[in-house]
Amino acid sequence: MKEIRPAALGLKIKLEEIDTQLDAKGLASAFQTAKQKQVGAIMTTTGNPFFTERKQIVELAVKHRLPGIYPQKEFVDESGLMSYGVDYTDLYQRAAVYVDKILKGAKPAELPVQQATKFEFVINLKAAKQIGLTIPVRVLERANKVIK
């Protein structure tokens, strides 16, 4: 959130942060609050608790006709609108290289820390249609994967 707040300010977007309990009642309440505050879209933060509840989050977004962007493609696999995040397949492959180096005698402390360098943008057109949203062609062209 510390990076999102200044970005929203710079883009002149009103950011509504809604804390929630990650259970059925808490999520339903959060979406009700979002609707009352007339938010235009939702975005979840990363983390296992949100990932675990992705199916319910996506269902509530559709129910409230709120476009959502998520940090992992698995949300889109559950009929979420779009995701932009780290390509985990690439990360796992790079981790395997590290494991190989360590097994061959490299000291973990001497290996450089690596950050993600490959990201993926996935769009679900079926989800867009469900909430009555048209995705511009220019946005579709930028996606790594478009689900029809």
Side-chain angles (χ1 to χ4, degrees):
M1 291 305 294
K2 68 181 179 182
E3 288 104 10
I4 293 171
R5 289 181 192 112
L9 223 81
L11 293 168
K12 298 181 179 156
I13 295 173
K14 184 180 178 191
L15 180 64
E16 291 284 351
E17 294 180 51
I18 302 171
D19 291 323
T20 185
Q21 294 296 316
L22 291 172
D23 57 28
K25 188 176 178 181
L27 288 170
S29 175
F31 273 88
Q32 198 59 40
T33 299
K35 204 66 172 169
Q36 289 169 350
K37 292 185 177 216
Q38 299 179 334
V39 301
I42 63 153
M43 180 182 88
T44 63
T45 56
T46 59
N48 195 43
F50 282 104
F51 185 81
T52 302
E53 297 299 329
R54 68 190 177 279
K55 184 173 178 57
Q56 185 179 3
I57 292 168
V58 167
E59 287 172 356
L60 286 164
V62 170
K63 176 183 174 185
H64 291 278
R65 300 180 56 85
L66 282 170
I69 185 162
Y70 307 97
Q72 292 147 310
K73 67 180 177 180
E74 286 82 2
F75 283 86
V76 180
D77 294 340
E78 293 289 348
S79 297
L81 179 62
M82 64 179 71
S83 67
Y84 180 74
V86 173
D87 180 341
Y88 283 98
T89 302
D90 179 61
L91 280 184
Y92 296 144
Q93 289 170 344
R94 290 172 41 194
V97 171
Y98 268 43
V99 169
D100 182 58
K101 288 180 181 184
I102 292 166
L103 292 174
K104 289 179 178 172
K107 293 182 175 137
E110 294 176 1
L111 294 174
V113 173
Q114 292 189 9
Q115 291 190 1
T117 57
K118 191 172 179 186
F119 296 83
E120 57 186 349
F121 179 36
V122 181
I123 299 173
N124 185 332
L125 290 178
K126 289 191 287 188
K129 187 176 181 180
Q130 271 189 302
I131 61 172
L133 185 68
T134 301
I135 308 288
V137 173
R138 304 281 297 173
V139 174
L140 294 172
E141 291 172 344
R142 301 194 82 148
N144 299 90
K145 182 178 178 184
V146 176
I147 298 169
K148 297 177 181 180

